[in-house]
Amino acid sequence: MAWVMIPDKARIVECPYCGEKKELMSLRSGNTCNAKYWSDGKMIAPMLPLVSPVQKCPRCGKYYLHYKLGAKQGESESCEQGELSYGEWKEAYLQFREPEEASKLNKDDWAAIRMGIIQAYNDRYRVGDFLFSNVIPGVEPSQEDFKFIVGIIEEYIIECDWSSVENPFLKAELYREAGDFENCKKSLMLIGREFLSSDDGWIYDEILTRAKNKDVRVFRILNERERSQMEYENKLRESKEAEQRWMEEQLKDSRYKVCKRGHCYKNTQRLCWWCGNDNVVKRVDENEPREVVELYMVQCDGHWLLTKNNGIGVLTGTQRKITVELLGGYKLCYRIDGQEDFPYNNTMIKVGSESVNARRITEKCDLLIDEGLEKVHWES
């Protein structure tokens, strides 16, 4: 049976300033199924929601650390987490900085407060699902906000007992988010890349790449499946962008392309429509003189015959007319009995009781025209 989140009766705390009671969420059990992890250490787990360590009193508006207070069990459940906005975290920080308040706090308390501010600041980058997009929809911070958060990060790094921090990348990541890219790189060098697992190696590379690009935005920690999907999406996007750039470049010259075998094809095609060649040797304007060559093809006695003789089919009754249109002396298109152009691929053309590959027909037509021959024949 799958593990599910099971709520418990609420924890009731009293505001230490005015005595107002507040019911906070409590869980009997939860799990991290479908949880999302972020580079600043934040976890968002639908089956394991977390109560904010700092709570705001709904009556007096003062802030307090609820885990430092005694709590009673309520009669019913509550879904109240007491999450604070970034602005509220700033207010709480300023309140706790007051001498009388600061004297009640220890290093762990300050670590919780500062990390809460950092993660709330980064919530602007957690808007929507942008996993497979380079565009992050969050609003860019003001210079004032960025300067403030840099100060908070510097305090966190200085005051933190790093020997007890499980996340080996947190210091480097905080330096990066503060725009201190050199110290970020130095912190990564102390970790080393050589013996990291594939998951940790990806985080290491991501932080380093973003530091090199001077990117201070938080990012999501992806699992192996997500990384593979992201890599696929990135390659697909890059391919589309490259194709678009190529198309824009080709459209600058509207003339037909001519391959080394003398076939004309559209400027927006990568390969020659008739032979599959990609070497462009010339460009031809569509207003160049046009000429039509009529050829005739039959199948008889185990061989194919291509000729300029219109009467050849009288002998067999299986004649097919091939019209080759030339543009400026280059072969623009081939038609069977006046129908639509046939390409170089594996299209089969029926002649009598048998069929021949269209590409073979173009090859024989080219030979007859280019060499000025009267006929060409080959075994079927």
Side-chain angles (χ1 to χ4, degrees):
M1 184 179 76
W3 290 98
V4 295
M5 182 180 73
I6 303 177
D8 200 355
K9 292 181 179 179
R11 293 179 65 253
I12 302 175
V13 295
E14 291 187 9
C15 173
Y17 302 99
C18 69
E20 176 73 5
K21 293 181 180 180
K22 190 174 187 178
E23 294 188 350
L24 299 177
M25 180 186 66
S26 180
L27 300 177
R28 291 185 191 178
S29 67
N31 63 75
T32 56
C33 182
N34 295 323
K36 294 182 178 180
Y37 301 89
W38 296 80
S39 57
D40 61 355
K42 185 165 186 174
M43 177 189 73
I44 301 176
M47 303 298 286
L48 191 62
L50 303 176
V51 174
S52 172
V54 174
Q55 295 291 319
K56 183 177 183 178
C57 177
R59 178 193 288 177
C60 69
K62 287 278 194 175
Y63 298 91
Y64 55 88
L65 291 159
H66 75 85
Y67 61 80
K68 296 178 77 73
L69 306 175
K72 296 180 181 179
Q73 190 175 57
E75 295 298 322
S76 59
E77 299 170 359
S78 172
C79 60
E80 178 62 57
Q81 295 173 248
E83 290 183 292
L84 305 181
S85 68
Y86 172 62
E88 289 173 326
W89 274 106
K90 287 179 69 175
E91 289 179 355
Y93 175 77
L94 296 176
Q95 175 190 311
F96 292 135
R97 286 290 299 270
E98 295 174 3
E100 186 176 345
E101 296 278 355
S103 63
K104 304 174 186 177
L105 305 178
N106 57 38
K107 279 193 171 186
D108 291 337
D109 298 333
W110 277 115
I113 294 167
R114 289 170 179 137
M115 184 52 68
I117 297 171
I118 294 168
Q119 292 179 348
Y121 171 87
N122 285 331
D123 283 344
R124 72 186 71 230
Y125 301 127
R126 287 186 257 265
V127 179
D129 185 2
F130 55 90
L131 176 57
F132 306 127
S133 171
N134 281 336
V135 180
I136 295 180
V139 178
E140 290 301 314
S142 65
Q143 287 296 318
E144 180 184 353
D145 275 348
F146 184 68
K147 184 177 180 181
F148 175 78
I149 206 66
V150 167
I152 296 296
I153 289 175
E154 289 174 348
E155 290 178 7
Y156 187 95
I157 291 174
I158 292 171
E159 297 294 330
C160 180
D161 178 11
W162 290 103
S163 63
S164 62
V165 176
E166 294 183 3
N167 182 351
F169 304 107
L170 184 58
K171 181 185 284 190
E173 172 62 12
L174 291 178
Y175 274 129
R176 185 186 68 82
E177 292 176 22
D180 190 346
F181 304 116
E182 289 307 312
N183 274 322
C184 170
K185 295 173 186 176
K186 289 177 182 178
S187 296
L188 289 175
M189 288 178 64
L190 292 175
I191 297 171
R193 176 67 173 82
E194 185 177 359
F195 300 107
L196 295 177
S197 65
S198 60
D199 289 338
D200 286 347
W202 180 84
I203 298 172
Y204 181 102
D205 294 339
E206 191 72 13
I207 294 175
L208 182 59
T209 298
R210 288 170 180 262
K212 290 178 179 179
N213 294 334
K214 300 188 184 307
D215 184 353
V216 299
R217 296 172 298 184
V218 71
F219 63 91
R220 202 150 71 74
I221 306 298
L222 308 182
N223 57 40
E224 186 174 358
R225 179 187 62 80
E226 290 172 327
R227 295 199 299 272
S228 297
Q229 180 67 16
M230 185 179 69
E231 183 178 351
Y232 169 77
E233 294 285 346
N234 286 339
K235 288 182 178 179
L236 184 62
R237 185 189 67 256
E238 290 170 1
S239 176
K240 289 181 178 179
E241 291 173 352
E243 182 66 22
Q244 181 63 28
R245 290 192 298 270
W246 181 87
M247 185 65 71
E248 291 172 356
E249 188 64 29
Q250 300 307 306
L251 289 173
K252 293 177 182 178
D253 191 341
S254 61
R255 297 176 299 170
Y256 282 99
K257 295 176 180 177
V258 180
C259 77
K260 66 181 182 180
R261 290 186 57 181
H263 299 126
C264 293
Y265 58 105
K266 293 179 180 179
N267 64 326
T268 53
Q269 292 176 203
R270 285 190 176 275
L271 304 177
C272 174
W273 184 238
W274 306 107
C275 65
N277 200 287
D278 64 350
N279 291 322
V280 180
V281 298
K282 188 178 176 61
R283 294 271 187 166
V284 178
D285 191 279
E286 63 179 351
N287 295 321
E288 290 284 327
R290 299 201 180 204
E291 179 186 354
V292 175
V293 177
E294 294 183 350
L295 305 175
Y296 305 89
M297 184 174 176
V298 296
Q299 185 274 328
C300 60
D301 298 331
H303 69 273
W304 302 104
L305 176 63
L306 181 69
T307 177
K308 295 178 181 179
N309 183 1
N310 187 18
I312 188 71
V314 176
L315 302 175
T316 63
T318 60
Q319 177 174 290
R320 301 296 300 270
K321 180 180 178 180
I322 302 174
T323 304
V324 183
E325 185 175 341
L326 307 180
L327 175 65
Y330 299 99
K331 296 174 283 289
L332 178 63
C333 62
Y334 303 74
R335 296 188 180 94
I336 294 286
D337 296 335
Q339 298 175 0
E340 294 182 359
D341 304 352
F342 62 87
Y344 72 88
N345 60 18
N346 290 324
T347 300
M348 301 301 292
I349 305 299
K350 189 171 181 61
V351 182
S353 61
E354 297 190 30
S355 298
V356 62
N357 189 291
R359 189 168 189 174
R360 176 59 64 89
I361 297 177
T362 62
E363 291 175 353
K364 299 306 178 181
C365 288
D366 291 348
L367 179 62
L368 192 148
I369 294 172
D370 295 343
E371 299 295 331
L373 304 176
E374 285 297 321
K375 62 181 178 180
V376 176
H377 63 86
W378 69 98
E379 293 184 359
S380 59

